[in-house]
Structures are given as structure tokens and as C-alpha cells.
Amino acid sequence: GESVGLHLPTLSVQEGDNSIINCAYSNSASDYFIWYKQESGKGPQFIIDIRSNMDKRQGQRVTVLLNKTVKHLSLQIAATQPGDSAVYFCAEMFTGTTDSWGKFQFGAGTQVVVTP
Amino acid sequence: DAGVTQSPTHLIKTRGQQVTLRCSPKSGHDTVSWYQQALGQGPQFIFQYYEEEERQRGNFPDRFSGHQFPNYSSELNVNALLLGDSALYLCASSLGQRTYEQYFGPGTRLTVT
């Protein structure tokens, strides 16, 4: 079936550098996307979201880019810090029908390791 | 303000047994969703409860069932456990069925031997 996937399973980043985490999605009907951060022993934590009527959204040190043409999503983290070390997931959802609401589909995740 | 809580933290069961996991949503939230997260994988949606009814369901067999109580807390029940049911079970709460932002609990680690 259709699924959300990530290109890089592990990303090693030097402290202070910018990180870019990529995600490919195959369900062209998906119209809402979220990035989550999951630290060891914890549940996923909401980072930022974006709707399909946007191509860019910025938060504090994070930016999400959406390219619907190639069904690609990315998360950029500026000035990566040791506390950013975690697994990052993208998740998609189609909000257009009652049956699909709440059914987030997650990718496998990318492990980000921040080195000093 | 209490976040999402889950119990127990860890659980070991034998194949064929039944298990019940519990979740208390974030204060003020009325919707609870359950996810299964296998090791090294992303969470997989099991089902969502709102107004004490199952509203949405993912691709999980009937062995997986749930319940939501009037205080919005929820239980996940798994019958006839299989080795493949070993995973981290996550509960997420939100306000209203049609809201986007979900808050996750720390999960219950279930090991089936």
C-alpha cells in the first residue's frame, strides 16, 4: 500500500550546522503533514506542521518545505544543538473524508546524531 | 497541567495471553488515538476513540479492541497475543475529533514471549 518513507535512516550533523531531513510520500491525496521528534524512551513530540496549500512554514529554528509536484517533504533545523539528537518522523494524513480523519501515516524515521 | 500518561511502562506476556493497556489523555482533551510502534519503525495507527466510540480504525485485526470511559481515559486490549505484537504502544490525545495536533504519551513497552 501507499506509505510515507524517508531517504536517510541516519543523519550525522556537527553542532552548529544546519540539518536537513527528507521525507517522500506516495499518497498524492494527503493534504496535511507533521514532523515529530522522538527522543529515547519518550513518545513523539510535535515539531511543526504544514498543509498542502502551503509550500513553506517556519517555526523556531525549524522550517518545513513541501513540494507537492514530487511528493517530497523536508525539515530543516538551523544551528543544530545536542538536544536535537533524536529520531524524526514525518506523518501524513488526508483530511478530506470522515473515514480518513485522524489516520496519520508515519514514515520509518531518521536518526539524527549531533556531534560536538 | 498533566500530559498524556500511560500504564504500565513495561509489560511481559506469554503468547496466547491477553493484555490491557491504559491511557489518560492530556487535561482538557477528549479524543484518544492508539498507535503500535515496532522497533525501528514509525508508529502505526490502530484506532481512535471519541465520545466513547471507536471512530477510526487502521489495518489491525479484531484481536485489538479498545474502550473509552466517560472521563476520556482509554484502554487498549489485545487478545491471543502473538510474538509479533511485541512493540511500543503509544497513546495520543487531542481536543475534538477533527483536530490536527496530537500529544503523545511515553508509551507502554509490550514484550510477548
Side-chain angles (χ1 to χ4, degrees):
Chain A
E2 295 179 318
S3 63
V4 175
L6 296 173
H7 296 303
L8 299 173
T10 304
L11 179 66
S12 185
V13 182
Q14 195 161 14
E15 183 178 354
D17 287 351
N18 296 335
S19 304
I20 299 177
I21 306 167
N22 296 304
C23 173
Y25 65 95
S26 56
N27 185 358
S28 58
S30 293
D31 57 0
Y32 180 67
F33 306 87
I34 297 181
W35 279 101
Y36 283 97
K37 171 186 180 182
Q38 187 173 24
E39 297 175 279
S40 181
K42 297 183 179 180
Q45 178 186 1
F46 175 93
I47 301 174
I48 192 168
D49 61 354
I50 188 168
R51 301 188 188 194
S52 59
N53 61 352
M54 304 171 68
D55 53 19
K56 180 179 180 179
R57 190 159 189 233
Q58 288 183 299
Q60 186 175 9
R61 282 202 307 119
V62 294
T63 300
V64 55
L65 300 177
L66 175 62
N67 186 331
K68 295 180 289 294
T69 302
V70 294
K71 295 198 272 300
H72 184 267
L73 193 69
S74 69
L75 177 69
Q76 301 177 2
I77 305 174
T80 311
Q81 303 169 359
D84 294 327
S85 292
V87 177
Y88 290 79
F89 295 98
C90 63
E92 63 174 321
M93 183 172 69
F94 173 56
T95 66
T97 66
T98 303
D99 288 344
S100 62
W101 250 101
K103 288 182 177 179
F104 282 99
Q105 190 167 8
F106 283 73
T110 293
Q111 174 77 56
V112 172
V113 178
V114 182
T115 58
Chain B
D1 180 22
V4 180
T5 59
Q6 293 185 243
S7 63
T9 305
H10 295 89
L11 201 54
I12 300 175
K13 289 288 188 178
T14 303
R15 188 172 48 186
Q17 287 188 316
Q18 178 265 343
V19 69
T20 298
L21 310 181
R22 296 175 175 81
C23 171
S24 291
K26 179 179 171 63
S27 179
H29 284 185
D30 57 6
T31 303
V32 173
S33 299
W34 286 93
Y35 292 81
Q36 179 194 67
Q37 185 177 22
L39 196 62
Q41 301 293 321
Q44 299 294 313
F45 176 79
I46 302 175
F47 42 54
Q48 181 187 75
Y49 276 83
Y50 173 69
E51 293 185 334
E52 301 180 49
E53 290 189 14
E54 182 183 297
R55 299 290 181 169
Q56 305 289 357
R57 190 176 183 92
N59 296 323
F60 280 80
D62 292 344
R63 297 187 298 109
F64 289 78
S65 63
H67 187 78
Q68 185 178 35
F69 299 93
N71 66 353
Y72 308 121
S73 66
S74 177
E75 288 182 348
L76 165 65
N77 301 293
V78 186
N79 294 322
L81 284 167
L82 303 173
L83 297 179
D85 295 331
S86 295
L88 180 68
Y89 288 85
L90 294 162
C91 168
S93 74
S94 57
L95 177 59
Q97 184 187 13
R98 294 183 69 83
T99 54
Y100 299 97
E101 192 166 340
Q102 296 184 337
Y103 291 81
F104 282 84
T108 293
R109 172 68 64 186
L110 172 65
T111 302
V112 182
T113 63

